[in-house]
Amino acid sequence: LNCFLKWNSQADSTHLISVCVVLLEDSPQENGIQTSQYSAISPPASPVAQDEPFSTYFEEKVPIPESVFSFRKLWAFTGPGFLMSIAYLDPGNIESDLQSGAKAGFKLLWVLLGATIIGLLLQRLAARLGVVTGMHLAEVCNRQYPTVPRIILWLMVELAIIGSDMQEVIGCAIALNLLSVGRIPLWAGVLITITDTFVFLFLDKYGLRKLEAFFGFLITVMAISFGYEYVLVKPDQGELLKGMFVPYCEGCGPLQLEQAVGIVGAVIMPHNIYLHSALVKSRDVDRKNKKEVKEANKYFFIESAVALFVSFLINVFVVAVFAQAFYNKTNMEVVSFLCHPLSKPPECKYMFSNPPVCVQGVVLGCFFGPAALYIWAIGILAAGQSSTMTGTYSGQFVMEGFLNLRWSRFARVLLTRSIAITPTLLVAIFQDVQHLTGMNDFLNVLQSMQLPFALIPILTFTSLTSIMNDFANGLVWKISGSIVILVVCAINMYFVVVYVTSLNSVLLYVLSALLSVAYLCFVGYLAWHCLVALGVSCLDFGSRVSNRPAVFIEEQSEYDS
């Protein structure tokens, strides 16, 4: 259209070819992708925004060997998927697993399996966006959405990250409290977590592969710890397989339904979409070469599948252990066991009415020996520490992408850590462990509400050929992605409604209703853009979404000739 309009104003029509060449040369290019004011949701980005995206990470790129499919090449791509999979193993997930086992036995394992598969499909979209465009999701949102929606979107994602961060710090503090048999108070555990997180976050200065190896070590610790509990408890394998592959929950009621919803909310986390789209940028892929981009997408999908399979097994270990140990046992039965004269190890001094993570771990030690308690605590510590680090990385990428910040790494880590740690530290100082772990329900609700702010944008941008070129979502992916996102968001909204109605406060009902109106209006705005991007042209009234294919500029000589 630019060429035609320009040509129409020329006295000499022979200028058409040269004018088009000049326009192609002058148009802004992003990572090999030709863009213009007609190929984005928002007007052209500012000259500053068109520079190479600023980043304090990935100073080194992992080289990819030249070969056909091989395990050596797969090893070069291995890393981002395992860092991403940490979010599937954070303390919030562990608590959801143990509550699922204690309340529903093995009957909800199929929900965990389904949620993990859905998570893999969503992570595939995130990885493809990063590989094809060379930008992560926050950077694309910054360049595509207008200013006000972009700022609101950033605030919502930050809320999700802070909520996740608080859960992870709580898990670390509880693990340290357990390992020290109560000698390290919870507030001290929070401070220790702050300190060691700062230390570990700078490991990538010694090499990206060393950092990835460290995260691999933490995942191995979790697998060994929770695997040990699994072998020790010896769950019923037949019931386990039945619960995993038979999508039915016999005799389940509202309690089990709420737990099933909680599993989905704990597994699929909004900040993880942003994180994965950024982590894949650490590989040296020539985005001008379509073959290399296609190959990178394939390897990253394989690696993500392997990583999430490992995380799924660890989650199954936790569900199975608590299903075997606690399902169909009342609190009174467990308390009677703890009060038995022959069963009074020091760890069993804790009593409970509605057992939180800490006390469940203590009772596990009372049932199966002190070793089970300490190994459980080691697994929780590894889960909390690793997820705290990846949560902090998510915060850096989101701030960097949405705000185009050029702060030093230390300043940004200090800011995001302080925002997340301060409320957790205050609760740890003034409340006991029951209140600290009781925050988990509220934090799960908070993150559930933020899910649309990651899922809708990732489907929108991966469906636009103006951004993804030949790698845009096809019809099958558009339909299946829409259904998956609709189902996940509906499930999580149900979880939010159940939580709010349990508060039994008219004032909170009114406040929730007012917030819900604003919330749904913004979700509707994002959904409108998404539907236009998916091809629902009847909704394209005033939307700036364009799905025209972008042009790959590989060799200028093609146009010169």
mmCIF file of all heavy atoms in Angstrom, residues 466-505:
data_model
loop_
_atom_site.group_PDB
_atom_site.id
_atom_site.type_symbol
_atom_site.label_atom_id
_atom_site.label_comp_id
_atom_site.label_asym_id
_atom_site.label_seq_id
_atom_site.Cartn_x
_atom_site.Cartn_y
_atom_site.Cartn_z
ATOM 1 N N SER A 466 2.027 -10.906 10.986
ATOM 2 C CA SER A 466 2.848 -9.698 10.955
ATOM 3 C C SER A 466 3.968 -9.744 11.979
ATOM 4 O O SER A 466 4.921 -8.978 11.902
ATOM 5 C CB SER A 466 1.971 -8.466 11.219
ATOM 6 O OG SER A 466 1.291 -8.592 12.453
ATOM 7 N N ILE A 467 3.866 -10.653 12.938
ATOM 8 C CA ILE A 467 4.910 -10.823 13.950
ATOM 9 C C ILE A 467 5.643 -12.142 13.762
ATOM 10 O O ILE A 467 6.873 -12.197 13.848
ATOM 11 C CB ILE A 467 4.298 -10.767 15.365
ATOM 12 C CG1 ILE A 467 3.767 -9.358 15.654
ATOM 13 C CG2 ILE A 467 5.315 -11.171 16.425
ATOM 14 C CD1 ILE A 467 3.072 -9.234 16.987
ATOM 15 N N MET A 468 4.908 -13.212 13.477
ATOM 16 C CA MET A 468 5.493 -14.555 13.439
ATOM 17 C C MET A 468 5.803 -15.051 12.034
ATOM 18 O O MET A 468 6.416 -16.112 11.881
ATOM 19 C CB MET A 468 4.526 -15.542 14.103
ATOM 20 C CG MET A 468 4.229 -15.248 15.559
ATOM 21 S SD MET A 468 5.631 -15.515 16.641
ATOM 22 C CE MET A 468 5.734 -17.307 16.614
ATOM 23 N N ASN A 469 5.374 -14.316 10.990
ATOM 24 C CA ASN A 469 5.608 -14.744 9.619
ATOM 25 C C ASN A 469 5.069 -16.149 9.374
ATOM 26 O O ASN A 469 3.947 -16.453 9.724
ATOM 27 C CB ASN A 469 7.102 -14.645 9.290
ATOM 28 C CG ASN A 469 7.574 -13.207 9.298
ATOM 29 O OD1 ASN A 469 7.347 -12.470 8.350
ATOM 30 N ND2 ASN A 469 8.205 -12.796 10.394
ATOM 31 N N ASP A 470 5.903 -17.017 8.806
ATOM 32 C CA ASP A 470 5.454 -18.376 8.478
ATOM 33 C C ASP A 470 5.212 -19.246 9.710
ATOM 34 O O ASP A 470 4.693 -20.351 9.595
ATOM 35 C CB ASP A 470 6.491 -19.072 7.580
ATOM 36 C CG ASP A 470 6.621 -18.397 6.236
ATOM 37 O OD1 ASP A 470 5.667 -17.690 5.845
ATOM 38 O OD2 ASP A 470 7.669 -18.552 5.581
ATOM 39 N N PHE A 471 5.608 -18.753 10.882
ATOM 40 C CA PHE A 471 5.492 -19.557 12.102
ATOM 41 C C PHE A 471 4.277 -19.164 12.930
ATOM 42 O O PHE A 471 4.163 -19.563 14.084
ATOM 43 C CB PHE A 471 6.765 -19.415 12.937
ATOM 44 C CG PHE A 471 7.991 -19.933 12.256
ATOM 45 C CD1 PHE A 471 8.834 -19.076 11.552
ATOM 46 C CD2 PHE A 471 8.295 -21.285 12.281
ATOM 47 C CE1 PHE A 471 9.960 -19.556 10.910
ATOM 48 C CE2 PHE A 471 9.415 -21.769 11.639
ATOM 49 C CZ PHE A 471 10.246 -20.908 10.953
ATOM 50 N N ALA A 472 3.382 -18.381 12.352
ATOM 51 C CA ALA A 472 2.148 -18.024 13.060
ATOM 52 C C ALA A 472 1.283 -19.265 13.268
ATOM 53 O O ALA A 472 1.376 -20.246 12.525
ATOM 54 C CB ALA A 472 1.384 -16.963 12.274
ATOM 55 N N ASN A 473 0.450 -19.229 14.275
ATOM 56 C CA ASN A 473 -0.427 -20.357 14.582
ATOM 57 C C ASN A 473 -1.356 -20.666 13.409
ATOM 58 O O ASN A 473 -1.926 -19.756 12.801
ATOM 59 C CB ASN A 473 -1.286 -20.050 15.812
ATOM 60 C CG ASN A 473 -0.468 -19.934 17.077
ATOM 61 O OD1 ASN A 473 0.568 -20.577 17.205
ATOM 62 N ND2 ASN A 473 -0.919 -19.112 18.001
ATOM 63 N N GLY A 474 -1.495 -21.948 13.098
ATOM 64 C CA GLY A 474 -2.465 -22.374 12.101
ATOM 65 C C GLY A 474 -3.851 -22.444 12.696
ATOM 66 O O GLY A 474 -4.063 -22.153 13.884
ATOM 67 N N LEU A 475 -4.808 -22.851 11.899
ATOM 68 C CA LEU A 475 -6.197 -22.889 12.334
ATOM 69 C C LEU A 475 -6.384 -23.824 13.527
ATOM 70 O O LEU A 475 -7.100 -23.496 14.486
ATOM 71 C CB LEU A 475 -7.089 -23.333 11.165
ATOM 72 C CG LEU A 475 -8.590 -23.394 11.459
ATOM 73 C CD1 LEU A 475 -9.113 -22.014 11.853
ATOM 74 C CD2 LEU A 475 -9.353 -23.952 10.266
ATOM 75 N N VAL A 476 -5.728 -24.991 13.492
ATOM 76 C CA VAL A 476 -5.877 -25.959 14.590
ATOM 77 C C VAL A 476 -5.361 -25.377 15.895
ATOM 78 O O VAL A 476 -6.011 -25.479 16.949
ATOM 79 C CB VAL A 476 -5.136 -27.272 14.244
ATOM 80 C CG1 VAL A 476 -5.159 -28.221 15.446
ATOM 81 C CG2 VAL A 476 -5.776 -27.942 13.037
ATOM 82 N N TRP A 477 -4.200 -24.732 15.835
ATOM 83 C CA TRP A 477 -3.616 -24.155 17.037
ATOM 84 C C TRP A 477 -4.450 -22.984 17.544
ATOM 85 O O TRP A 477 -4.568 -22.767 18.753
ATOM 86 C CB TRP A 477 -2.178 -23.715 16.796
ATOM 87 C CG TRP A 477 -1.199 -24.786 17.110
ATOM 88 C CD1 TRP A 477 -0.587 -25.632 16.244
ATOM 89 C CD2 TRP A 477 -0.719 -25.151 18.407
ATOM 90 N NE1 TRP A 477 0.233 -26.510 16.916
ATOM 91 C CE2 TRP A 477 0.179 -26.225 18.240
ATOM 92 C CE3 TRP A 477 -0.954 -24.675 19.690
ATOM 93 C CZ2 TRP A 477 0.837 -26.823 19.308
ATOM 94 C CZ3 TRP A 477 -0.304 -25.264 20.764
ATOM 95 C CH2 TRP A 477 0.576 -26.334 20.561
ATOM 96 N N LYS A 478 -5.011 -22.201 16.611
ATOM 97 C CA LYS A 478 -5.852 -21.076 17.037
ATOM 98 C C LYS A 478 -7.084 -21.568 17.782
ATOM 99 O O LYS A 478 -7.433 -21.048 18.846
ATOM 100 C CB LYS A 478 -6.273 -20.255 15.815
ATOM 101 C CG LYS A 478 -5.156 -19.427 15.189
ATOM 102 C CD LYS A 478 -5.660 -18.667 13.972
ATOM 103 C CE LYS A 478 -4.553 -17.843 13.337
ATOM 104 N NZ LYS A 478 -5.030 -17.109 12.140
ATOM 105 N N ILE A 479 -7.735 -22.592 17.237
ATOM 106 C CA ILE A 479 -8.950 -23.112 17.867
ATOM 107 C C ILE A 479 -8.626 -23.803 19.189
ATOM 108 O O ILE A 479 -9.247 -23.531 20.227
ATOM 109 C CB ILE A 479 -9.681 -24.080 16.916
ATOM 110 C CG1 ILE A 479 -10.180 -23.335 15.674
ATOM 111 C CG2 ILE A 479 -10.841 -24.765 17.632
ATOM 112 C CD1 ILE A 479 -10.797 -24.235 14.622
ATOM 113 N N SER A 480 -7.638 -24.698 19.154
ATOM 114 C CA SER A 480 -7.290 -25.437 20.379
ATOM 115 C C SER A 480 -6.746 -24.502 21.453
ATOM 116 O O SER A 480 -7.063 -24.649 22.635
ATOM 117 C CB SER A 480 -6.275 -26.534 20.060
ATOM 118 O OG SER A 480 -5.101 -25.990 19.482
ATOM 119 N N GLY A 481 -5.927 -23.519 21.029
ATOM 120 C CA GLY A 481 -5.394 -22.559 21.990
ATOM 121 C C GLY A 481 -6.500 -21.738 22.631
ATOM 122 O O GLY A 481 -6.482 -21.483 23.848
ATOM 123 N N SER A 482 -7.477 -21.333 21.830
ATOM 124 C CA SER A 482 -8.605 -20.560 22.369
ATOM 125 C C SER A 482 -9.394 -21.383 23.376
ATOM 126 O O SER A 482 -9.774 -20.889 24.448
ATOM 127 C CB SER A 482 -9.515 -20.107 21.229
ATOM 128 O OG SER A 482 -8.812 -19.323 20.296
ATOM 129 N N ILE A 483 -9.648 -22.654 23.032
ATOM 130 C CA ILE A 483 -10.414 -23.520 23.936
ATOM 131 C C ILE A 483 -9.653 -23.742 25.238
ATOM 132 O O ILE A 483 -10.225 -23.650 26.340
ATOM 133 C CB ILE A 483 -10.723 -24.867 23.252
ATOM 134 C CG1 ILE A 483 -11.677 -24.643 22.074
ATOM 135 C CG2 ILE A 483 -11.326 -25.852 24.253
ATOM 136 C CD1 ILE A 483 -11.915 -25.892 21.239
ATOM 137 N N VAL A 484 -8.357 -24.035 25.117
ATOM 138 C CA VAL A 484 -7.538 -24.281 26.310
ATOM 139 C C VAL A 484 -7.536 -23.059 27.220
ATOM 140 O O VAL A 484 -7.735 -23.166 28.449
ATOM 141 C CB VAL A 484 -6.098 -24.655 25.900
ATOM 142 C CG1 VAL A 484 -5.149 -24.534 27.088
ATOM 143 C CG2 VAL A 484 -6.053 -26.074 25.340
ATOM 144 N N ILE A 485 -7.304 -21.884 26.646
ATOM 145 C CA ILE A 485 -7.242 -20.668 27.451
ATOM 146 C C ILE A 485 -8.596 -20.368 28.083
ATOM 147 O O ILE A 485 -8.676 -19.976 29.257
ATOM 148 C CB ILE A 485 -6.755 -19.485 26.588
ATOM 149 C CG1 ILE A 485 -5.278 -19.690 26.238
ATOM 150 C CG2 ILE A 485 -6.956 -18.157 27.305
ATOM 151 C CD1 ILE A 485 -4.712 -18.655 25.286
ATOM 152 N N LEU A 486 -9.670 -20.578 27.331
ATOM 153 C CA LEU A 486 -11.008 -20.349 27.870
ATOM 154 C C LEU A 486 -11.287 -21.278 29.041
ATOM 155 O O LEU A 486 -11.811 -20.851 30.090
ATOM 156 C CB LEU A 486 -12.046 -20.557 26.765
ATOM 157 C CG LEU A 486 -13.507 -20.241 27.133
ATOM 158 C CD1 LEU A 486 -13.653 -18.771 27.484
ATOM 159 C CD2 LEU A 486 -14.441 -20.614 25.989
ATOM 160 N N VAL A 487 -10.931 -22.555 28.895
ATOM 161 C CA VAL A 487 -11.167 -23.533 29.963
ATOM 162 C C VAL A 487 -10.337 -23.205 31.199
ATOM 163 O O VAL A 487 -10.843 -23.201 32.335
ATOM 164 C CB VAL A 487 -10.853 -24.962 29.463
ATOM 165 C CG1 VAL A 487 -10.843 -25.951 30.630
ATOM 166 C CG2 VAL A 487 -11.862 -25.389 28.410
ATOM 167 N N VAL A 488 -9.052 -22.913 30.993
ATOM 168 C CA VAL A 488 -8.165 -22.614 32.122
ATOM 169 C C VAL A 488 -8.642 -21.374 32.867
ATOM 170 O O VAL A 488 -8.703 -21.357 34.105
ATOM 171 C CB VAL A 488 -6.715 -22.429 31.627
ATOM 172 C CG1 VAL A 488 -5.835 -21.870 32.742
ATOM 173 C CG2 VAL A 488 -6.152 -23.754 31.145
ATOM 174 N N CYS A 489 -8.993 -20.323 32.131
ATOM 175 C CA CYS A 489 -9.452 -19.090 32.773
ATOM 176 C C CYS A 489 -10.776 -19.324 33.505
ATOM 177 O O CYS A 489 -10.981 -18.804 34.611
ATOM 178 C CB CYS A 489 -9.600 -17.979 31.743
ATOM 179 S SG CYS A 489 -8.016 -17.393 31.064
ATOM 180 N N ALA A 490 -11.683 -20.115 32.911
ATOM 181 C CA ALA A 490 -12.966 -20.398 33.554
ATOM 182 C C ALA A 490 -12.767 -21.189 34.847
ATOM 183 O O ALA A 490 -13.395 -20.899 35.879
ATOM 184 C CB ALA A 490 -13.868 -21.176 32.602
ATOM 185 N N ILE A 491 -11.881 -22.163 34.806
ATOM 186 C CA ILE A 491 -11.591 -22.968 36.003
ATOM 187 C C ILE A 491 -11.046 -22.085 37.119
ATOM 188 O O ILE A 491 -11.453 -22.178 38.286
ATOM 189 C CB ILE A 491 -10.604 -24.097 35.661
ATOM 190 C CG1 ILE A 491 -11.309 -25.180 34.837
ATOM 191 C CG2 ILE A 491 -10.020 -24.706 36.932
ATOM 192 C CD1 ILE A 491 -10.377 -26.266 34.343
ATOM 193 N N ASN A 492 -10.124 -21.212 36.755
ATOM 194 C CA ASN A 492 -9.514 -20.359 37.773
ATOM 195 C C ASN A 492 -10.486 -19.307 38.294
ATOM 196 O O ASN A 492 -10.435 -18.934 39.471
ATOM 197 C CB ASN A 492 -8.255 -19.717 37.210
ATOM 198 C CG ASN A 492 -7.085 -20.674 37.187
ATOM 199 O OD1 ASN A 492 -6.404 -20.859 38.173
ATOM 200 N ND2 ASN A 492 -6.860 -21.309 36.055
ATOM 201 N N MET A 493 -11.376 -18.820 37.428
ATOM 202 C CA MET A 493 -12.397 -17.884 37.912
ATOM 203 C C MET A 493 -13.342 -18.565 38.900
ATOM 204 O O MET A 493 -13.780 -17.957 39.873
ATOM 205 C CB MET A 493 -13.172 -17.310 36.732
ATOM 206 C CG MET A 493 -12.383 -16.315 35.890
ATOM 207 S SD MET A 493 -11.681 -14.934 36.849
ATOM 208 C CE MET A 493 -9.956 -15.469 37.006
ATOM 209 N N TYR A 494 -13.645 -19.834 38.653
ATOM 210 C CA TYR A 494 -14.458 -20.597 39.604
ATOM 211 C C TYR A 494 -13.745 -20.668 40.953
ATOM 212 O O TYR A 494 -14.361 -20.492 42.015
ATOM 213 C CB TYR A 494 -14.709 -22.010 39.068
ATOM 214 C CG TYR A 494 -15.370 -22.934 40.076
ATOM 215 C CD1 TYR A 494 -16.750 -22.922 40.267
ATOM 216 C CD2 TYR A 494 -14.598 -23.807 40.846
ATOM 217 C CE1 TYR A 494 -17.349 -23.751 41.199
ATOM 218 C CE2 TYR A 494 -15.190 -24.644 41.773
ATOM 219 C CZ TYR A 494 -16.562 -24.613 41.949
ATOM 220 O OH TYR A 494 -17.139 -25.444 42.881
ATOM 221 N N PHE A 495 -12.440 -20.909 40.924
ATOM 222 C CA PHE A 495 -11.642 -20.972 42.144
ATOM 223 C C PHE A 495 -11.711 -19.634 42.890
ATOM 224 O O PHE A 495 -11.832 -19.594 44.123
ATOM 225 C CB PHE A 495 -10.197 -21.318 41.779
ATOM 226 C CG PHE A 495 -9.292 -21.510 42.964
ATOM 227 C CD1 PHE A 495 -9.595 -22.429 43.943
ATOM 228 C CD2 PHE A 495 -8.132 -20.766 43.079
ATOM 229 C CE1 PHE A 495 -8.752 -22.618 45.024
ATOM 230 C CE2 PHE A 495 -7.282 -20.944 44.156
ATOM 231 C CZ PHE A 495 -7.597 -21.873 45.131
ATOM 232 N N VAL A 496 -11.652 -18.531 42.155
ATOM 233 C CA VAL A 496 -11.723 -17.205 42.764
ATOM 234 C C VAL A 496 -13.091 -16.987 43.409
ATOM 235 O O VAL A 496 -13.196 -16.495 44.546
ATOM 236 C CB VAL A 496 -11.445 -16.114 41.709
ATOM 237 C CG1 VAL A 496 -11.707 -14.719 42.291
ATOM 238 C CG2 VAL A 496 -10.003 -16.205 41.222
ATOM 239 N N VAL A 497 -14.163 -17.360 42.698
ATOM 240 C CA VAL A 497 -15.527 -17.181 43.227
ATOM 241 C C VAL A 497 -15.715 -17.997 44.503
ATOM 242 O O VAL A 497 -16.291 -17.514 45.497
ATOM 243 C CB VAL A 497 -16.566 -17.571 42.153
ATOM 244 C CG1 VAL A 497 -17.963 -17.618 42.767
ATOM 245 C CG2 VAL A 497 -16.536 -16.589 40.994
ATOM 246 N N VAL A 498 -15.236 -19.231 44.506
ATOM 247 C CA VAL A 498 -15.359 -20.081 45.700
ATOM 248 C C VAL A 498 -14.632 -19.448 46.875
ATOM 249 O O VAL A 498 -15.139 -19.434 48.008
ATOM 250 C CB VAL A 498 -14.792 -21.490 45.410
ATOM 251 C CG1 VAL A 498 -14.651 -22.291 46.707
ATOM 252 C CG2 VAL A 498 -15.689 -22.232 44.443
ATOM 253 N N TYR A 499 -13.462 -18.905 46.615
ATOM 254 C CA TYR A 499 -12.683 -18.284 47.696
ATOM 255 C C TYR A 499 -13.401 -17.051 48.243
ATOM 256 O O TYR A 499 -13.507 -16.866 49.463
ATOM 257 C CB TYR A 499 -11.296 -17.913 47.190
ATOM 258 C CG TYR A 499 -10.446 -17.210 48.230
ATOM 259 C CD1 TYR A 499 -9.798 -17.933 49.224
ATOM 260 C CD2 TYR A 499 -10.304 -15.827 48.224
ATOM 261 C CE1 TYR A 499 -9.028 -17.299 50.185
ATOM 262 C CE2 TYR A 499 -9.533 -15.178 49.166
ATOM 263 C CZ TYR A 499 -8.903 -15.919 50.147
ATOM 264 O OH TYR A 499 -8.140 -15.273 51.101
ATOM 265 N N VAL A 500 -13.888 -16.188 47.353
ATOM 266 C CA VAL A 500 -14.533 -14.947 47.792
ATOM 267 C C VAL A 500 -15.804 -15.242 48.583
ATOM 268 O O VAL A 500 -16.070 -14.626 49.618
ATOM 269 C CB VAL A 500 -14.835 -14.041 46.577
ATOM 270 C CG1 VAL A 500 -15.689 -12.843 46.996
ATOM 271 C CG2 VAL A 500 -13.532 -13.558 45.939
ATOM 272 N N THR A 501 -16.609 -16.200 48.106
ATOM 273 C CA THR A 501 -17.860 -16.522 48.809
ATOM 274 C C THR A 501 -17.620 -17.139 50.184
ATOM 275 O O THR A 501 -18.492 -17.103 51.047
ATOM 276 C CB THR A 501 -18.718 -17.486 47.973
ATOM 277 O OG1 THR A 501 -17.923 -18.630 47.598
ATOM 278 C CG2 THR A 501 -19.222 -16.803 46.716
ATOM 279 N N SER A 502 -16.430 -17.692 50.385
ATOM 280 C CA SER A 502 -16.119 -18.283 51.695
ATOM 281 C C SER A 502 -15.713 -17.234 52.727
ATOM 282 O O SER A 502 -15.548 -17.560 53.905
ATOM 283 C CB SER A 502 -14.988 -19.311 51.550
ATOM 284 O OG SER A 502 -13.771 -18.676 51.192
ATOM 285 N N LEU A 503 -15.554 -15.975 52.311
ATOM 286 C CA LEU A 503 -15.112 -14.929 53.235
ATOM 287 C C LEU A 503 -16.233 -14.466 54.161
ATOM 288 O O LEU A 503 -15.973 -13.912 55.229
ATOM 289 C CB LEU A 503 -14.568 -13.737 52.441
ATOM 290 C CG LEU A 503 -13.338 -14.028 51.571
ATOM 291 C CD1 LEU A 503 -12.937 -12.792 50.779
ATOM 292 C CD2 LEU A 503 -12.165 -14.508 52.425
ATOM 293 N N ASN A 504 -17.493 -14.621 53.733
ATOM 294 C CA ASN A 504 -18.654 -14.287 54.560
ATOM 295 C C ASN A 504 -18.617 -12.849 55.081
ATOM 296 O O ASN A 504 -18.752 -12.583 56.277
ATOM 297 C CB ASN A 504 -18.769 -15.257 55.753
ATOM 298 C CG ASN A 504 -19.028 -16.681 55.320
ATOM 299 O OD1 ASN A 504 -19.790 -16.904 54.380
ATOM 300 N ND2 ASN A 504 -18.401 -17.644 55.985
ATOM 301 N N SER A 505 -18.408 -11.912 54.168
ATOM 302 C CA SER A 505 -18.384 -10.504 54.538
ATOM 303 C C SER A 505 -19.058 -9.698 53.428
ATOM 304 O O SER A 505 -18.613 -9.735 52.274
ATOM 305 C CB SER A 505 -16.944 -10.019 54.738
ATOM 306 O OG SER A 505 -16.905 -8.613 54.876
#
